Amino acid sequence: MAIGAVSLAVAKTSAILGNNPLYLNIALLKHNQEQPSTLPMPLLMVTLLSCGKSSPGKLNLMKEVICIPHPELTTKQGVEMLMEIQKNIIKIIEMPPPPKAETKKGQDGGKRGQQQITGKMSHLGCLTINCDTIEQPLLLLQGICANLGLELGTNLHLAINCAGHELMDYSKGKYEVMMGTYKSAAEMVDLYVELITKYPSIIALIDPFRKEDSEQWDSIYNALGSRCYIIAGTASKSISKLLEHGNINIPKSNGLIIKHTNQTTMSDLVEITNLADSKKHIIFGSTEGESSDDSLVDLAVGLGVRFIKLGGLSRGERVTKYNRLLTIEEELVQSGTLDTSLSCNARIGGQEQETMTLVKV
């Protein structure tokens, strides 16, 4: 269980002895000890809302509503924009509830789905809010962005962590997307297609199904793979098993979340990113219940992953990592080694797929 920690300690020691930052030491491992002339910064995936199974509302489907800033923004600009959005979410939650409308003929004057939004900070570093419909959190963000002069689908995009494995009611064999509302695996495909059609600013779905529903992973990839990222997180096998089998295409997806765990060495991380390069987008994610060690940010930059997912912008263990990300960006700018060539386009799926631009035209 200590192999991951030991491997990281060796990498840190090597970086110190070589008088290099850790991210550069990891980049040397990645490139067979040849120092790359430039390094790209991973795109931010920042969790702003949680409306999952543990939230107080009826909605279960959205464990994380994630914002991805425009790829041409710097990391600092992206963080500042998302902090402003978070401040506005908090203002709305702290607003006193509006007075009840007068009723006529015994009818409730309140509108359906317009109940007061309340929330609390979760371990994910974001606000857990009560929502009763799929549209509520999306409309909340849409309204806040409009007030700030931002446009979803242009200035920033959304990703949804569906956490499909948490939605399954095994007694019914169906996904409980909302309290008392159950969908079969086949019906979930239709739900996701409708969601992406209605909200094209959503460009990524994380774990839309359990890993056991391989047929539905194929179906949703075929239906939406050219329109948004279908990403395997918890539904993916462990890094050691992926490397053992040499197959990263089960379940079928065009993105993969990897994490540095106790069982994962630096060599494993290099090998899995080499295996996925040009085949899948790699998202470097943080683990739950983690410490304030910011090393995983260095790992993400050194490995050249496409995205980094650190949770929300609150809680010390997460804020520390965002601060490290900003520091690395400053260092790369000052040294003239920041790679901006990947700021506009992202490769979807395998080499046979066309390049999808993250900027909505």
Side-chain angles (χ1 to χ4, degrees), residues 248-261:
I248 58 173
N249 293 315
I250 300 176
K252 195 169 185 180
S253 62
N254 40 35
L256 186 67
I257 296 178
I258 63 172
K259 298 178 181 181
H260 178 241
T261 64

Side-chain angles (χ1 to χ4, degrees), residues 101-118:
E102 294 183 5
T103 60
K104 292 183 180 180
K105 297 181 180 180
Q107 294 180 351
D108 187 355
K111 294 183 179 179
R112 186 180 179 186
Q114 298 299 313
Q115 76 277 10
Q116 175 69 10
I117 296 175
T118 59

Side-chain angles (χ1 to χ4, degrees), residues 5-18:
V6 172
S7 181
L8 178 59
V10 171
K12 285 183 175 181
T13 304
S14 176
I16 292 170
L17 293 175

Side-chain angles (χ1 to χ4, degrees), residues 51-345:
C51 312
K53 194 84 171 177
S54 60
S55 64
K58 294 181 180 179
L59 180 61
N60 296 332
L61 182 64
M62 300 183 179
K63 181 175 181 178
E64 294 178 86
V65 181
I66 300 164
C67 285
I68 305 172
H70 189 297
E72 289 187 353
L73 293 176
T74 64
T75 303
K76 183 179 180 181
Q77 290 170 332
V79 168
E80 289 174 346
M81 179 178 69
L82 296 176
M83 286 185 69
E84 194 62 32
I85 294 174
Q86 179 174 274
K87 286 179 186 176
N88 279 264
I89 295 173
I90 294 172
K91 283 181 184 177
I92 290 175
I93 289 175
E94 291 178 345
M95 284 176 61
K100 289 186 177 181
E102 294 183 5
T103 60
K104 292 183 180 180
K105 297 181 180 180
Q107 294 180 351
D108 187 355
K111 294 183 179 179
R112 186 180 179 186
Q114 298 299 313
Q115 76 277 10
Q116 175 69 10
I117 296 175
T118 59
K120 61 179 182 179
M121 197 62 64
S122 79
H123 68 285
L124 296 169
C126 67
L127 286 162
T128 298
I129 64 174
N130 63 313
C131 289
D132 293 340
T133 67
I134 293 174
E135 291 81 8
Q136 271 185 289
L138 303 175
L139 292 176
L140 172 64
L141 286 175
Q142 204 170 64
I144 289 173
C145 287
N147 290 337
L148 294 173
L150 303 171
E151 184 180 351
L152 283 174
T154 301
N155 301 106
L156 70 160
H157 291 77
L158 299 178
I160 306 297
N161 180 5
C162 309
H165 55 289
E166 296 181 10
L167 302 178
M168 177 57 67
D169 185 318
Y170 289 92
S171 65
K172 292 181 171 60
K174 292 186 176 183
Y175 292 93
E176 189 179 17
V177 294
M178 287 180 285
M179 193 180 299
T181 301
Y182 299 89
K183 300 279 186 182
S184 67
E187 290 172 331
M188 290 294 286
V189 175
D190 295 333
L191 184 151
Y192 290 130
V193 170
E194 182 180 346
L195 180 66
I196 298 302
T197 301
K198 190 172 182 180
Y199 296 97
S201 57
I202 300 174
I203 62 164
L205 295 174
I206 301 172
D207 286 339
F209 301 100
R210 304 174 304 151
K211 60 184 174 185
E212 291 85 356
D213 292 324
S214 56
E215 183 178 337
Q216 281 67 42
W217 277 93
D218 290 348
S219 296
I220 196 171
Y221 182 88
N222 293 334
L224 294 174
S226 62
R227 296 163 60 185
C228 75
Y229 300 97
I230 307 300
I231 298 169
T234 303
S236 175
K237 295 178 181 178
S238 66
I239 290 177
S240 59
K241 291 207 175 287
L242 288 172
L243 293 175
E244 180 183 342
H245 297 132
N247 187 352
I248 58 173
N249 293 315
I250 300 176
K252 195 169 185 180
S253 62
N254 40 35
L256 186 67
I257 296 178
I258 63 172
K259 298 178 181 181
H260 178 241
T261 64
N262 290 335
Q263 298 89 0
T264 310
T265 66
M266 300 300 103
S267 298
D268 290 337
L269 293 174
V270 169
E271 191 174 348
I272 193 68
T273 52
N274 285 339
L275 188 63
D277 281 350
S278 79
K279 297 178 183 177
K280 286 181 183 289
H281 285 299
I282 290 291
I283 301 163
F284 206 87
S286 59
T287 57
E288 296 186 9
E290 60 187 309
S291 70
S292 295
D293 182 15
D294 57 13
S295 301
L296 72 83
V297 176
D298 286 72
L299 301 184
V301 174
L303 292 167
V305 300
R306 181 61 180 163
F307 298 96
I308 186 167
K309 180 178 176 294
L310 300 171
L313 294 169
S314 301
R315 298 181 62 92
E317 71 273 14
R318 301 184 187 278
V319 172
T320 298
K321 295 175 179 63
Y322 282 111
N323 286 337
R324 178 58 182 159
L325 202 60
L326 297 175
T327 298
I328 292 175
E329 182 178 61
E330 289 176 3
E331 290 178 0
L332 294 178
V333 169
Q334 290 174 3
S335 64
T337 56
L338 178 62
D339 182 0
T340 59
S341 63
L342 297 178
S343 62
C344 294
N345 295 325

